[in-house]
Amino acid sequence: MTIVPQPPAASPAPAAPGPRWEPRLYPGTLATTSRVRSDLRTDLGRLAGIEPDLVETVVLCASEMFANAVEHSRSGENDGRVIRTLTVPAASLAGAALRLSIIDDGARVSRPRIPRQRTREEWQEAERGRGLLLVDHLATAWGARRVVDFPFCEGLGTVIWAEFALGTTSNSGDGR
């Protein structure tokens, strides 16, 4: 019996990266929110075939995520910054999802949370606390993670991300 070396099995070619936009850096002020929305509309306008309703959904979620970064992190302090990224991850090309990320300068004392224990009357009177609830209902998936996942780097910042299905005007999911 002759032993013939077999060529290694061809592994599938890695998926080509999807569209990617340059990250945008913003000062951490609520007054900057209108510029974040405008830049996002411009960037999304470069994506062929995106539905106008989806553009507005992504812009609304970006506004809420940006406001949370300013309100609940060191991004809202003097010289604070917020970074916005926008990608179509290669892994999602089969499902074609748009990923929006907001990166803050690190945690302060408060952390944004979806308020779940409010009564109907409290919801009607509340002036705040609906931002992540909107993201939860409008994004196909969303979440948050540390910028660097080491315990001693915990204060370096948080990435909150949301994905939106491309090719449909209706985006709803369980938020996770």
Side-chain angles (χ1 to χ4, degrees), residues 45-91:
R46 297 180 187 131
L47 186 60
I50 190 166
E51 297 287 334
D53 285 349
L54 180 56
V55 170
E56 293 309 311
T57 296
V58 174
V59 167
L60 174 61
C61 289
S63 294
E64 296 299 336
M65 293 161 62
F66 183 85
N68 271 344
V70 171
E71 180 69 24
H72 296 285
S73 79
R74 290 192 310 256
S75 293
E77 296 175 359
N78 288 340
D79 298 323
R81 300 155 305 181
V82 177
I83 299 170
R84 189 222 69 202
T85 66
L86 189 62
T87 61
V88 176

Side-chain angles (χ1 to χ4, degrees), residues 19-22 24 26 33-52 54-56 58-60 62 84 86 98 100:
R20 181 178 215 96
W21 293 260
E22 287 294 317
R24 293 193 183 247
Y26 298 99
T33 309
S34 63
R35 192 170 114 215
V36 172
R37 288 192 296 258
S38 176
D39 289 347
L40 186 54
R41 282 189 183 99
T42 299
D43 289 347
L44 290 173
R46 297 180 187 131
L47 186 60
I50 190 166
E51 297 287 334
L54 180 56
V55 170
E56 293 309 311
V58 174
V59 167
L60 174 61
R84 189 222 69 202
L86 189 62
L98 177 72
L100 166 71

Side-chain angles (χ1 to χ4, degrees), residues 85-168:
T85 66
L86 189 62
T87 61
V88 176
S92 74
L93 285 178
L98 177 72
R99 179 175 278 216
L100 166 71
S101 296
I102 299 290
I103 305 163
D104 66 38
D105 273 343
R108 284 196 300 208
V109 176
S110 66
R111 291 192 174 235
R113 290 186 183 86
I114 297 175
R116 302 216 186 258
Q117 301 300 320
R118 288 186 178 168
T119 66
R120 182 179 203 69
E121 293 77 26
E122 288 171 331
W123 274 112
Q124 290 174 349
E125 298 296 320
E127 294 180 11
R128 306 171 55 100
R130 292 184 177 92
L132 287 180
L133 192 60
L134 283 170
V135 173
D136 186 58
H137 286 337
L138 295 173
T140 306
W142 73 278
R145 63 176 176 77
R146 293 182 204 150
V147 171
V148 179
D149 197 22
F150 292 111
F152 58 86
C153 297
E154 187 171 349
L156 293 180
T158 302
V159 178
I160 183 166
W161 58 269
E163 285 190 354
F164 304 88
L166 292 172
T168 63

